[in-house]
Amino acid sequence: EAWDNLHDINSRSQYVTLHYAFKQLKAQGTGGSIVLTSSIVAKAALPLFGDNGVYASSKASNQIIAKTAAHDGAPFGIRVNSVLPGPVATEGFGDSPEEILKVMAEITLLKRVGEAEEIAKPIVFLLS
């Protein structure tokens, strides 16, 4: 059940969104830019808790979706990028036990979790 839920949220949703975005962008004929979000866990096993393998696999599949979409979109002037942030302070993240927050901060180079604005700025750049 965890597999289906996380893959529905993290992978299937991006795939379906891309399908319709490509359809619209191709019809417009003007190209475009799409940025998908994934996670650093798509590239490295990190000490998370619970269903980390399921979460990581759903994020890794996002990377393949993004790479394939970039290849498929290029002839139509559609650029596709993917951003892989580390732990970011979001509403849901803030509800995590203190022990998890400390571990998440320790695995980053800056020894802190990121802020949403720090992820949003490069995404805006990639969309420009």
Side-chain angles (χ1 to χ4, degrees):
E1 188 175 317
W3 177 276
D4 289 339
N5 289 339
L6 279 171
H7 280 266
D8 281 349
I9 293 167
N10 293 334
S11 302
R12 184 173 288 129
S13 63
Q14 287 196 3
Y15 181 82
V16 171
T17 300
L18 272 173
H19 170 78
Y20 288 103
F22 266 49
K23 189 174 181 179
Q24 180 64 38
L25 291 170
K26 286 178 184 179
Q28 288 174 200
T30 57
S33 183
I34 298 169
V35 176
L36 302 176
T37 57
S38 183
S39 170
I40 192 62
V41 301
K43 297 278 188 184
L46 299 177
L48 298 177
F49 301 84
D51 292 321
N52 185 35
V54 176
Y55 179 76
S57 69
S58 71
K59 293 301 186 174
S61 71
N62 288 352
Q63 290 308 106
I64 296 302
I65 291 169
K67 288 177 182 180
T68 303
H71 182 271
D72 293 348
F76 301 97
I78 301 169
R79 294 179 294 120
V80 181
N81 287 285
S82 183
V83 175
L84 287 75
V88 177
T90 60
E91 281 184 37
F93 191 81
D95 295 337
S96 299
E98 189 65 30
E99 161 193 353
I100 293 175
L101 296 175
K102 284 181 182 178
V103 169
M104 298 307 290
E106 280 301 311
I107 64 173
T108 69
L109 293 174
L110 297 176
K111 303 299 182 207
R112 67 173 179 81
V113 297
E115 297 294 328
E117 294 80 19
E118 294 173 306
I119 309 306
K121 288 179 182 179
I123 290 173
V124 169
F125 171 78
L126 290 169
L127 290 170
S128 65

